[in-house]
Amino acid sequence: MNQELANVIKIYTTGSHQQLSSYLVGKSKDTLIGMLVDLLTMYINDKNSSTIREFITVTLAGYQHKQGKIGYNGFRQDAFIPGRTIKCEAKPKNIDTGEFEKYGRGERKTSPAKLNGGGNFTDYTSTRLEKDTKEKDLNMLVSGFIDGKLIYIIEFPFNCPDFVKNLKIQIKKWQAKLKGSKSIKGQFLRSASFDYKNFIGCRKLKIVFLLSKKELQKYKKYIANSFYEFLLKNARNE
């Protein structure tokens, strides 16, 4: 971490706002820019928090971001139907290229996962699935980042048949494993996952953001082959 940034964090957490202001006022423009860039790099690549990636995904798709862990991640008012609110569930995924380098040096045994349009629902239940499918105005926002660089944002209705079918299959398998248990109340599927194959056929699929073909080619080795071909086909030439 940048030493100047480290000092700012220490003052912010242990000192007063006046002390922090005095410290920052004495810094050059380049130093302040360096600290901000370092902070953003740390934040957007944080493996334990997807808040900023979620924020970017939701806002670029035209929704107002909703903070907090409970409920959906954003909403917007329908431009054509007064009073209609459209909700969104964002699933951002970030790839750390450093993990690929570790694998190449033999410091990691398994090959890192590549971007494949995937995501997952943590602690999912059949009750939650039923609730989500009943939401007529709920869209999924699936995004991919590489070292904090936004590669794509794809939007589609949660009720896309293939998407819901995939979740139902995982829920049923989970319930089958619990069969015979005295009680399944309060129990949940730890992770219900999906990838691009589960929504690629959705008729209302929309590409919200996507790098140009030239830019996309720079990240080819970090994207699953078949998904890369799909992105390339939909990318602009410039």
Side-chain angles (χ1 to χ4, degrees):
M1 181 188 294
N2 181 306
Q3 187 56 50
E4 291 287 359
L5 177 58
N7 291 335
V8 167
I9 292 174
K10 289 177 183 177
I11 296 172
Y12 181 86
T13 54
T14 63
S16 66
H17 286 294
Q18 183 177 356
Q19 288 175 308
L20 179 61
S21 296
S22 298
Y23 184 81
L24 291 174
V25 166
K27 300 303 174 184
S28 68
K29 180 180 178 180
D30 288 342
T31 298
L32 292 174
I33 291 174
M35 286 192 288
L36 178 59
V37 170
D38 280 358
L39 182 60
L40 286 172
T41 300
M42 289 172 55
Y43 193 15
I44 202 166
N45 285 295
D46 189 346
K47 295 181 180 180
N48 298 311
S49 174
S50 61
T51 301
I52 193 169
R53 298 189 293 272
E54 179 184 291
F55 172 79
I56 289 298
T57 300
V58 169
T59 54
L60 285 182
Y63 293 83
Q64 182 174 332
H65 185 239
K66 180 178 178 294
Q67 296 183 343
K69 296 290 185 180
I70 301 175
Y72 300 116
N73 303 127
F75 64 92
R76 62 180 170 83
Q77 301 303 315
D78 192 293
F80 304 102
I81 304 177
R84 180 191 179 196
T85 301
I86 303 173
K87 309 177 187 67
C88 69
E89 180 79 14
K91 296 297 178 184
K93 179 73 174 179
N94 186 50
I95 295 295
D96 180 357
T97 59
E99 294 301 313
F100 286 83
E101 294 174 4
K102 288 180 182 179
Y103 180 67
R105 295 193 300 265
E107 298 172 8
R108 173 179 171 141
K109 294 182 179 180
T110 58
S111 177
K114 297 182 178 183
L115 285 179
N116 64 352
N120 71 282
F121 293 86
T122 305
D123 301 344
Y124 211 56
T125 65
S126 56
T127 301
R128 171 67 188 279
L129 177 59
E130 183 179 359
K131 176 181 181 296
D132 289 341
T133 52
K134 286 182 178 179
E135 289 283 354
K136 295 182 180 179
D137 300 315
L138 173 61
N139 289 331
M140 290 296 303
L141 295 175
V142 179
S143 59
F145 297 75
I146 297 178
D147 290 338
K149 172 75 172 181
L150 179 61
I151 308 300
Y152 61 82
I153 300 176
I154 300 173
E155 181 177 15
F156 59 90
F158 181 93
N159 274 315
C160 178
D162 290 341
F163 187 74
V164 173
K165 179 181 178 181
N166 170 61
L167 296 177
K168 284 183 176 180
I169 289 173
Q170 293 180 72
I171 289 288
K172 287 182 179 179
K173 288 182 178 180
W174 164 70
Q175 290 177 327
K177 289 182 179 180
L178 293 178
K179 192 174 182 180
S181 175
K182 292 182 179 179
S183 173
I184 63 172
K185 185 178 181 180
Q187 297 191 51
F188 45 76
L189 177 61
R190 181 62 65 184
S191 178
S193 61
F194 63 87
D195 62 32
Y196 84 100
K197 293 187 294 294
N198 304 124
F199 59 76
I200 197 72
C202 184
R203 290 185 298 172
K204 294 184 178 181
L205 183 146
K206 175 184 176 183
I207 303 295
V208 175
F209 177 90
L210 180 59
L211 292 181
S212 67
K213 290 184 178 180
K214 184 178 180 180
E215 284 292 306
L216 194 61
Q217 289 169 355
K218 298 177 183 179
Y219 300 97
K220 181 178 181 179
K221 64 180 179 180
Y222 304 114
I223 305 173
N225 291 336
S226 52
F227 183 52
Y228 174 79
E229 292 303 322
F230 163 76
L231 294 178
L232 193 64
K233 181 180 178 181
N234 287 279
R236 64 187 188 280
N237 289 317
E238 67 272 12

